[in-house]
Every structure is written in structure tokens, then in C-alpha cells.
């Protein structure tokens, strides 16, 4: 990019800064005589030490015949609003629909009255940071809630398991008590039957072993004793 010195001259020797009355006269005479064309050639042929872009902007925005000066009328403002809703920031197209008004003038009017100012970068960054922090806090709370729900579910499962175990133990105790009561009811009869059976078995075993033969009467001995008593 070419630099500009304190005298309004660029590194290429082209003049910068405000236009003088003499420059306006030279540009106006040349364009009026030869018409609008290649602006780089216009600057050289008119004897202006200006760039082609500077000459074009000076002519279009200030020197062109038929340009209107002053503020835009309410009708022109409504036309700009309507056309901008259709075409957006196409200022040259909008300017063609408003004779005497330049695209630069229309653009300045729109940006002054309707353009929404962009927020400062620091404010946008702070807003993004606050939004990120809020999302992180929300995510952290959601994770805590999920962990709490999982702990509550586990605790509920443990309580249900303990309750079932207690019910099973209670049923088992009741069954054992019922079985003990039945055993106590049938125990005397069973003991008596066992006692009688044991006595009968013991008696048979004693007979088989000859325990009772010595105590029984010998019928032959009794007969012999009666015979001896008769002879006496």
C-alpha cells in the first residue's frame, strides 16, 4: 500500500486529500467535453495528479450535473427502505431509482439511521464465555442429578432385597415352628411304640439266647417228683 506524506502525496506521486477548485474545474471540463470513460485515462488527459478512482468518485458524488444536495425527502427515504428490503446493500442499483442521489449518499443515510451497531469484540467474548459457563454449569448439574438418581435407585433395590430376605426368613421360622409343634404332638406315641417294640424284641432275643429256660418248670422233673412221693 502506498504511503502518504504530510503534503498529501503518495509514494507514486499521486495527490491525496481534499480536492481544490482548480482540480474540480479541470475534471469538469474534460468529462463534459469527452464524457465518462476510462477514469485512469481521464486523470492523465485532464492533467490531474490523481488516481482514476479518485476522479470517478469526485465526479459521481460531487461534480456530476443533476445531483441533489441536502437531506433526503420522506418519499426518498421510504423508497430506500423498500428497495433495501428487496436488494439488500446494492447501493448502486438503489441509486439508479433515485435520480440525483448517489450510491455513497444512500449508503451513508442507511448506515446512519438503520444499521445495527455491532457489539464490541470484548463484549461478544464475555457473552460467549458467560454462555459457555452457563452450559457447563447446566451439564454439571445434570450429571449430579443423574448420579443422585442412580444412588437412589441402588438404595431402593437394596431395601427391596432386604425386605424380601426378611420375609423369607420369617416364613422359614414359621415353618420350623409348625414342624416342631407337630413333632411334639407325635413324640409320646412314637416313643411308646418304640418302647413296646424294643421290649418285644428284647424278649425274643432273650428267649433265643436261653435266658428264660432256667426259670421255666421242667415237666419231666415234676413227674419224677410225683412218682417218688407215691412210692414213699
Amino acid at each position: 500500500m502506498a504511503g502518504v506524506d504530510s503534503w498529501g502525496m503518495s509514494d507514486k506521486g499521486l495527490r491525496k486529500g481534499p480536492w481544490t477548485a482548480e482540480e474540480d474545474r479541470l475534471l469538469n471540463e474534460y468529462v463534459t467535453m469527452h464524457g465518462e470513460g476510462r477514469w485512469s485515462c481521464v486523470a492523465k488527459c485532464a492533467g490531474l495528479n490523481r488516481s482514476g478512482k479518485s476522479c470517478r468518485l469526485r465526479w459521481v458524488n460531487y461534480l456530476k450535473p443533476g445531483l441533489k444536495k441536502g437531506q433526503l425527502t420522506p418519499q426518498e427515504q421510504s423508497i430506500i427502505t423498500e428497495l433495501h428490503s428487496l436488494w439488500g446493500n446494492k447501493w448502486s442499483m438503489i441509486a439508479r431509482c433515485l435520480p440525483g442521489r448517489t450510491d455513497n449518499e444512500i449508503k451513508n443515510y442507511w448506515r446512519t439511521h438503520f444499521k445495527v451497531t455491532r457489539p464490541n469484540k470484548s463484549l461478544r467474548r464475555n457473552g460467549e464465555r458467560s454462555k459457555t459457563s452457563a452450559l457447563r454449569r447446566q451439564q454439571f448439574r445434570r450429571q449430579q442429578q443423574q448420579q443422585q438418581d442412580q444412588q437412589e435407585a441402588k438404595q431402593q433395590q437394596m431395601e427391596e432385597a432386604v425386605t424380601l430376605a426378611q420375609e423369607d426368613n420369617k416364613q422359614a421360622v414359621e415353618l420350623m415352628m409348625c414342624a416342631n409343634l407337630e413333632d411334639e404332638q407325635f413324640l409320646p406315641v412314637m416313643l411308646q411304640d418304640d418302647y413296646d417294640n424294643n421290649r418285644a424284641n428284647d424278649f425274643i432275643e432273650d428267649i433265643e439266647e436261653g435266658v428264660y429256660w432256667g426259670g421255666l418248670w421242667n415237666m419231666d422233673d415234676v413227674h419224677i417228683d410225683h412218682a417218688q412221693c407215691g412210692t414213699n
Side-chain angles (χ1 to χ4, degrees):
M1 180 177 180
V4 179
D5 58 16
S6 60
W7 295 96
M9 301 293 292
S10 66
D11 295 339
K12 295 181 179 180
L14 298 178
R15 180 178 174 80
K16 299 288 184 180
W19 280 63
T20 63
E22 180 63 20
E23 289 176 328
D24 288 343
R25 185 185 65 80
L26 293 175
L27 180 61
N28 192 8
E29 289 179 356
Y30 184 86
V31 175
T32 302
M33 184 179 297
H34 300 283
E36 301 178 12
R38 298 177 61 183
W39 292 103
S40 60
C41 295
V42 170
K44 294 178 181 179
C45 296
L48 296 171
N49 194 21
R50 296 278 185 172
S51 65
K53 179 179 179 181
S54 180
C55 293
R56 179 180 62 82
L57 293 176
R58 187 66 180 176
W59 173 261
V60 172
N61 294 324
Y62 297 98
L63 301 178
K64 187 175 182 179
L67 292 179
K68 293 181 179 180
K69 303 295 182 181
Q71 295 182 353
L72 295 169
T73 62
Q75 183 180 1
E76 290 175 335
Q77 294 176 5
S78 62
I79 292 174
I80 292 172
T81 304
E82 183 179 357
L83 295 179
H84 187 272
S85 63
L86 297 175
W87 299 335
N89 296 336
K90 296 182 179 180
W91 309 116
S92 58
M93 293 178 61
I94 297 174
R96 295 191 187 100
C97 299
L98 295 172
R101 298 296 182 178
T102 64
D103 54 354
N104 188 51
E105 185 179 7
I106 295 171
K107 178 178 65 175
N108 292 335
Y109 166 78
W110 181 265
R111 291 183 176 178
T112 302
H113 294 82
F114 297 101
K115 185 178 180 181
V116 179
T117 58
R118 295 182 179 179
N120 193 2
K121 290 183 179 181
S122 60
L123 296 177
R124 284 188 296 175
R125 290 176 182 176
N126 293 332
E128 292 175 356
R129 290 176 182 175
S130 61
K131 187 183 295 185
T132 304
S133 300
L135 292 174
R136 289 179 179 176
R137 287 195 298 269
Q138 185 178 2
Q139 186 177 5
F140 179 73
R141 291 174 183 173
R142 191 179 302 169
Q143 291 177 355
Q144 283 186 337
Q145 186 65 31
Q146 291 178 355
Q147 292 177 358
Q148 185 177 358
D149 294 340
Q150 292 177 358
Q151 291 179 357
E152 291 178 357
K154 290 181 180 179
Q155 185 175 1
Q156 185 177 0
Q157 291 178 356
M158 291 178 63
E159 291 178 355
E160 292 177 354
V162 170
T163 303
L164 292 174
Q166 290 177 352
E167 292 179 355
D168 294 339
N169 292 332
K170 184 177 180 181
Q171 293 178 358
V173 170
E174 291 178 354
L175 291 174
M176 291 177 64
M177 292 178 65
C178 293
N180 291 333
L181 290 175
E182 292 178 356
D183 292 341
E184 290 178 357
Q185 292 177 358
F186 291 101
L187 183 61
V189 178
M190 293 175 65
L191 291 176
Q192 185 66 33
D193 293 339
D194 292 339
Y195 178 74
D196 295 338
N197 292 329
N198 291 331
R199 289 187 61 189
N201 292 330
D202 293 339
F203 180 75
I204 294 171
E205 290 178 356
D206 292 338
I207 293 175
E208 291 177 352
E209 293 178 358
V211 175
Y212 292 98
W213 289 108
L216 293 175
W217 289 350
N218 192 339
M219 299 303 295
D220 294 334
D221 294 338
V222 173
H223 181 71
I224 293 172
D225 288 341
H226 278 288
Q228 289 178 357
C229 290
T231 56
N232 292 328

